[in-house]
Amino acid sequence: MPHALVGYTGGDVLAAMKLFHDTIPEAKSLTALVDYTGHEITDSLRCARWFYKEQKLDKEGKSFGIRLDTHGGRFSEGLDYEKSVDVVGHWLKVSGEYNIVEQVLGGRAFQLDPGNILVDKVRRILFGKGVSVAAIIHARLALDNAGYPDAQIVGSSGFNPEKCQIMGAARAPLNMVGTGSFLPATLTETYATADIVSYGGERRVKVGREFLFD
């Protein structure tokens, strides 16, 4: 599901998922792209409820998932930095921001980074804005607590090898990673993305991409 489809339905990801299902009924999996309006948790639960409770598509052998692609300029719904530290700490059973980083990074690497250059990169991936480890755990817990433990999570947005390694070390509950615009570092000049910014003359983009109107 691209952002363009959610934009086409006026920013309503549930309407987009219904349209996807009606258009491609043979699809075995439905993955809702839940970051368009900045309501990752609310929209994840709306879509899961429709899939499992209303349509009961799991009984037809179909699978459901959400895709987190939260813009790097904001936190996922329900999180801030302090809350993110708490979420990851509870997940890893470690108290304290830097204790969490040390466990994920490894004691030796942590001690060999006196300037905190690597530590700060890891902190951003664990607790920062966008699709952080905390955001993924937060979504997983929300789905589980609502009774949807079979719902899968796809993470995208900045998933280069470094971010993937940190996600793995932190045991982020991801089922799949989308690398999107990522290409090897030697090919950085080819980096490109594309956005639809207008639908029938009405300007519309996901939350965080408003700069595209300028």
Side-chain angles (χ1 to χ4, degrees), residues 98-113 117-120 122-123 126 166 169-170:
Y98 284 93
N99 292 330
I100 297 169
V101 174
E102 183 174 9
Q103 175 164 314
V104 170
L105 188 57
R108 187 178 296 274
F110 186 85
Q111 293 167 9
L112 292 175
D113 185 39
I117 296 173
L118 183 56
V119 166
D120 286 344
V122 173
R123 288 169 65 222
L126 290 172
I166 297 303

Side-chain angles (χ1 to χ4, degrees), residues 28-32 44-45 47-49 51-53 56-66 139-154 173-176:
K28 294 298 184 182
S29 63
L30 292 175
T31 303
S44 293
L45 298 181
C47 291
R49 188 178 306 112
F51 181 92
Y52 290 107
K53 303 297 185 183
K56 297 180 172 60
L57 294 178
D58 55 321
K59 305 302 182 183
E60 300 179 16
K62 298 180 184 291
S63 62
F64 170 77
I66 64 167
R140 179 73 271 161
L141 294 176
L143 289 164
D144 290 353
N145 291 337
Y148 309 118
D150 293 332
Q152 299 186 336
I153 298 179
V154 180
L174 282 168
N175 298 97
M176 187 181 300

Side-chain angles (χ1 to χ4, degrees), residues 36-107:
Y36 198 94
T37 62
H39 299 95
E40 288 85 355
I41 303 304
T42 301
D43 282 338
S44 293
L45 298 181
R46 285 177 63 223
C47 291
R49 188 178 306 112
W50 176 83
F51 181 92
Y52 290 107
K53 303 297 185 183
E54 297 178 22
Q55 297 299 308
K56 297 180 172 60
L57 294 178
D58 55 321
K59 305 302 182 183
E60 300 179 16
K62 298 180 184 291
S63 62
F64 170 77
I66 64 167
R67 175 182 158 207
L68 297 174
D69 194 51
T70 302
H71 187 268
R74 67 174 181 83
F75 286 97
S76 184
E77 179 186 10
L79 293 178
D80 55 24
Y81 193 85
E82 290 73 20
K83 175 67 173 177
S84 297
V85 173
D86 290 342
V87 166
V88 179
H90 186 266
W91 181 259
L92 294 177
K93 297 180 172 56
V94 178
S95 298
E97 177 179 349
Y98 284 93
N99 292 330
I100 297 169
V101 174
E102 183 174 9
Q103 175 164 314
V104 170
L105 188 57

Side-chain angles (χ1 to χ4, degrees), residues 188-202:
T188 52
E189 292 183 0
T190 65
Y191 177 94
T193 61
D195 294 74
I196 294 176
V197 299
S198 179
Y199 301 82
E202 181 178 347

